């Protein structure tokens, strides 16, 4: 599956991305959305990316489990 990643600095940027890009609510899960052209986007808080660079395997597992139930990730 092809997708684009958009890194956001804060909650306001996440909200803006969601407002402008999301067009298919059924596809929203764990920070993923689809736009009106069917393009998949992963909206990622930059802080989460930084955390994932330095986590242990156990911490990564817990982080991924925690985010599975989210639609829009809140930073």
């Amino acid at each position: 599956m092809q997708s684009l990643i958009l890194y956001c600095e804060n909650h306001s940027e996440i909200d803006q991305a969601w407002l402008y890009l999301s067009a298919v609510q059924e596809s929203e899960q764990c920070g993923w959305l689809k736009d009106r052209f069917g393009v998949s986007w992963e909206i990622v808080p930059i802080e989460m990316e930084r955390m994932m660079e330095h986590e242990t395997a156990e911490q990564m597992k817990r982080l991924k489990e925690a985010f599975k139930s989210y639609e829009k990730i809140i930073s």
Side-chain angles (χ1 to χ4, degrees), residues 3-33:
S3 64
L4 299 171
I5 298 174
L6 178 62
Y7 293 102
C8 298
E9 286 291 333
N10 54 47
H11 186 71
S12 177
E13 286 185 10
I14 292 170
D15 284 345
Q16 281 187 323
W18 226 261
L19 178 67
Y20 291 119
L21 293 173
S22 182
V24 183
Q25 285 188 328
E26 301 80 38
S27 70
E28 297 174 357
Q29 181 179 6
C30 196
W32 290 87
L33 59 84

Side-chain angles (χ1 to χ4, degrees), residues 25 35 51 69:
Q25 285 188 328
D35 67 18
M51 286 174 24
S69 64

Side-chain angles (χ1 to χ4, degrees), residues 20-56:
Y20 291 119
L21 293 173
S22 182
V24 183
Q25 285 188 328
E26 301 80 38
S27 70
E28 297 174 357
Q29 181 179 6
C30 196
W32 290 87
L33 59 84
K34 280 193 181 179
D35 67 18
R36 63 187 173 137
F37 302 105
V39 176
S40 294
W41 291 79
E42 183 178 9
I43 310 301
V44 180
I46 194 67
E47 188 59 34
M48 184 173 147
E49 184 70 17
R50 291 178 189 135
M51 286 174 24
M52 292 175 75
E53 291 174 358
H54 304 289
E55 299 294 320
T56 66

Side-chain angles (χ1 to χ4, degrees), residues 29-31 48 51-52 55 57-74:
Q29 181 179 6
C30 196
M48 184 173 147
M51 286 174 24
M52 292 175 75
E55 299 294 320
E58 180 59 32
Q59 289 169 324
M60 285 293 291
K61 181 180 175 185
R62 289 194 320 256
L63 181 65
K64 288 178 183 179
E65 284 298 315
F67 282 102
K68 277 185 183 178
S69 64
Y70 293 168
E71 288 179 7
K72 179 174 65 173
I73 295 174
I74 299 171

